[in-house]
Amino acid sequence: MQLPVKLIENELQIFETWFKEAARSQAPLLDRIMRYIVKRKGKQMRPMFVLLSAKLCGEITDSAYRAASLVELLHTATLVHDDVVDDSMERRGFFSVYGLWKAKATVLIGDYLLAKGLLLSLDHNDYKILHILSDAVRKMSEGELLQLEKSRSLNLKEEIYFEIIRNKTASLLASACAAGAWSTSNDEKITEQMRLFGENAGIAFQIKDDLFDYASENVGKPTGNDIKEKKITLPLIYTLNTINKETRRKIIYIIKNKSGNKEKVKWVISKVEEAGGINYAKEKMNTYKNEALDILHQFPESPVRKGLEDLLLFVTDRKY
């Protein structure tokens, strides 16, 4: 991922200043928690998509920095809320906000981040960008609720799975690319092109995340973790839809009743491998990656386009 970072190295430093300012609070407890969040930020992949999309379509402006900050504020808000929902005490190898400040403060922090993001856009009349990102928040909520509803029965069709991840995961990346494009182009057609690019990249990203559950190498999360949490991933869906009824019943029984048993989970993973679920998911991931590349190649060749290609390849080739 060296080229994407190099292309927007200065812009990322400016973004850091914008984001820190956007997250700041006058309330001592809030400010302490916000400084903790800022210090523990991840790879900043979504702001990179915003800034590169903006640069692909024109000269980066303050509107692009605000869009990148809004995306990061919304993304952080969803992570903070997710930790409460999942009862997760850790985030990226450190204590989560929930682990340190418990549920009440964490929910309020998530709400605060959402409000700060909304005000950042409204204060500067970035109505189109706010609309793009608000639509992503709606879709993310719908995706989470649909997953909650469907995962209880473990009877998930592939088209429902793609509806879930298109809303839950891909919508934010799609909106990041669209917001970046709009900030420098003000062109509806170009913005929609970049939204579709981001959506396909986001779907490929989620399938890659699914595959980590079956990885033999250390990928930063325990193998079989999704199975233990009863999350239905693409390799598992494919397997449940292709194996014989007896094995299917056994897998469903283990996921529902024995997901804490390591040996049972290993057996499920072995059946997914035997059924070709992993290879099927890889093929699907590459299909969406190639669709994203096709959309990107509609733009003239340039270093920035190459940077977005490299960022997309990082999404699908990453080891963690």
Side-chain angles (χ1 to χ4, degrees), residues 15-26 112 116 120:
F15 157 74
E16 283 281 350
T17 304
W18 276 87
F19 182 72
K20 285 177 183 176
E21 184 60 34
R24 186 173 294 160
S25 170
Q26 297 299 317
Y112 174 78
K116 289 287 279 189
L120 179 64

Side-chain angles (χ1 to χ4, degrees), residues 202-213:
I203 292 171
F205 176 93
Q206 183 57 58
I207 297 173
K208 179 68 173 181
D209 215 50
D210 287 1
L211 287 165
F212 283 148
D213 210 43

Side-chain angles (χ1 to χ4, degrees), residues 29 53 62-63 73 75 95 114 128 132 184 186 195 255:
L29 176 60
S53 296
D62 285 354
S63 178
L73 285 166
H75 177 57
F95 279 115
L114 285 168
K128 176 66 175 180
I132 289 169
T184 55
N186 283 4
R195 188 196 70 79
I255 294 171

Side-chain angles (χ1 to χ4, degrees), residues 5 33 56 63 81 85 94 98 100 110 118 126 137 148 165 170 209 213 218 236 262 265 294-295 304:
V5 172
I33 298 172
L56 184 72
S63 178
H81 280 161
V85 172
F94 297 93
Y98 170 66
L100 290 172
L118 297 175
D126 295 329
V137 174
L148 187 66
I165 68 168
D209 215 50
D213 210 43
N218 181 15
L236 186 59
K262 287 184 179 180
V265 169
D294 287 345
I295 294 166
V304 176

Side-chain angles (χ1 to χ4, degrees), residues 12 93 103 116 125 139 149 152 174 211 219 231 278 302 314:
L12 282 171
K116 289 287 279 189
N125 300 321
K139 287 178 177 176
E149 175 193 348
R152 287 174 179 171
L211 287 165
V219 295
K231 290 180 181 176
I278 295 169
S302 68
F314 170 79

Side-chain angles (χ1 to χ4, degrees), residues 135-150:
D135 192 50
V137 174
R138 174 186 64 82
K139 287 178 177 176
M140 290 161 74
S141 301
E142 288 176 348
E144 287 281 6
L145 287 167
L146 182 59
Q147 183 179 51
L148 187 66
E149 175 193 348
K150 296 296 183 180

Side-chain angles (χ1 to χ4, degrees), residues 16 19-20 23 33-41:
E16 283 281 350
F19 182 72
K20 285 177 183 176
I33 298 172
M34 290 313 303
R35 279 189 278 113
Y36 181 82
I37 288 172
V38 168
K39 196 178 288 187
R40 299 284 180 265
K41 282 203 317 299

